[in-house]
Amino acid sequence: VVVLPDTGLPASEGATGKKRGRKALPENLPRERVEYDLPDDQKACPCCRHQMHRMGEAVTEQLHIEVKAKVLQNVRFKYACRHCDRTGINTPVVTAPMPAQPLPGSIATASTLAFALVHKYVDGTPLYRLAQAFERAGVPVSRGALGHWMIGSSEKHLARIYDVLKLRLRSQPLIHGDETTVQVLKEMDREATSTSYMWAYRSGHDSDEPIVLLDYQPGRGQIHPQTFLGDYRGIVMSDGYSAWRTLEG
């Protein structure tokens, strides 16, 4: 052991190298054992040919993601009265009800809608590519049907979440605002070359739970910030676009 002389300087911490190798898979994921054993004719010792005993196991882990499509058959039992059938004029038939469906009349369950919405709006997957993914899985779903799923989910469910977030945003003391032009290819009574606007609003950076909302408008014909913000009395931080200067209060 080499003893270094005392220099009077504070001891320096040695450089710690980073641990190499891949990160362990999350502990909260379920585990499924897939066991591999030697054939019986290979359990003899290759040296003395006596029978070997199992002394342990070597375990490695792999990430397995499997997406399966299945069909849920909603079976609603029907009931009728035999007495009324024999003696009455009318025989009432009572059918067991189903729970409320996210999109009545649609083949999509809540899980399927969530799958499509995440791919469209979180991962940015165009609907035609999502339709191709369904096709590869053996489930033909047209791009038009996917569009109806997006619109129906927005109108029936996501709009309510949007309205609640809008109320919370308007309760903040500071709101950031900005706008940008967008082009909508197919919109009723408008040409594909028409210019539309997407207005963006965000709560202040010191907010514990930041809120970001987008508001689509087909043009500049109205005071769009005032339409979205209503009677907001806080501070709006924006650029020099003249529409922001028309805010009241």
Side-chain angles (χ1 to χ4, degrees):
V1 179
V2 178
V3 180
L4 298 177
D6 185 9
T7 62
L9 299 175
S12 61
E13 297 182 359
T16 56
K18 295 183 179 179
K19 294 183 178 180
R20 301 194 178 194
R22 65 173 65 97
K23 294 182 179 180
L25 294 172
E27 293 293 336
N28 61 322
L29 292 179
R31 260 66 176 175
E32 177 182 346
R33 284 177 62 94
V34 181
E35 297 180 347
Y36 302 93
D37 200 358
L38 291 174
D40 291 338
D41 58 355
Q42 295 184 16
K43 293 182 179 179
C45 176
C47 178
C48 66
R49 307 307 300 171
H50 281 76
Q51 190 72 8
M52 296 187 296
H53 69 281
R54 190 168 67 183
M55 58 169 290
E57 59 186 22
V59 180
T60 58
E61 292 190 338
Q62 293 177 301
L63 180 63
H64 178 70
I65 299 177
E66 185 176 3
V67 179
K68 290 184 178 181
K70 64 181 179 181
V71 177
L72 296 183
Q73 291 185 331
N74 299 304
V75 182
R76 304 166 61 192
F77 292 113
K78 297 181 178 181
Y79 291 85
C81 177
R82 294 189 183 277
H83 180 268
C84 291
D85 190 21
R86 292 192 304 266
T87 62
I89 299 176
N90 296 320
T91 301
V93 177
V94 180
T95 305
M98 281 181 58
Q101 299 300 300
L103 290 182
S106 171
I107 64 171
T109 64
S111 177
T112 304
L113 293 175
F115 175 86
L117 288 166
V118 168
H119 275 276
K120 175 66 174 70
Y121 293 109
V122 179
D123 299 332
T125 305
L127 291 185
Y128 79 91
R129 291 184 182 174
L130 188 55
Q132 292 173 350
F134 276 104
E135 184 71 28
R136 288 194 300 270
V139 185
V141 179
S142 67
R143 183 165 51 173
L146 291 172
H148 285 298
W149 292 0
M150 303 297 115
I151 296 173
S153 299
S154 299
E155 293 178 346
K156 291 182 176 295
H157 307 291
L158 300 181
R160 293 182 292 172
I161 301 175
Y162 183 92
D163 291 340
V164 172
L165 291 174
K166 187 178 185 180
L167 290 175
R168 294 189 60 180
L169 179 65
R170 288 166 58 177
S171 67
Q172 303 292 320
L174 172 65
I175 295 178
H176 296 270
D178 198 6
E179 82 290 329
T180 187
T181 58
V182 294
Q183 185 178 6
V184 181
L185 297 181
K186 293 183 180 180
E187 192 171 12
M188 187 176 298
D189 300 329
R190 302 188 72 207
E191 298 181 356
T193 56
S194 302
T195 300
S196 302
Y197 283 80
M198 187 71 73
W199 302 74
Y201 303 89
R202 189 195 190 282
S203 55
H205 291 282
D206 57 347
S207 177
D208 295 334
E209 298 179 353
I211 298 174
V212 179
L213 296 179
L214 301 177
D215 180 37
Y216 169 75
Q217 298 290 346
R220 291 181 171 181
Q222 301 175 358
I223 305 174
H224 306 307
Q226 191 74 58
T227 304
F228 180 88
L229 296 173
D231 57 353
Y232 178 68
R233 290 295 181 266
I235 300 174
V236 177
M237 182 175 294
S238 65
D239 56 16
Y241 177 38
S242 59
W244 295 105
R245 306 294 174 241
T246 61
L247 289 173
E248 298 178 357

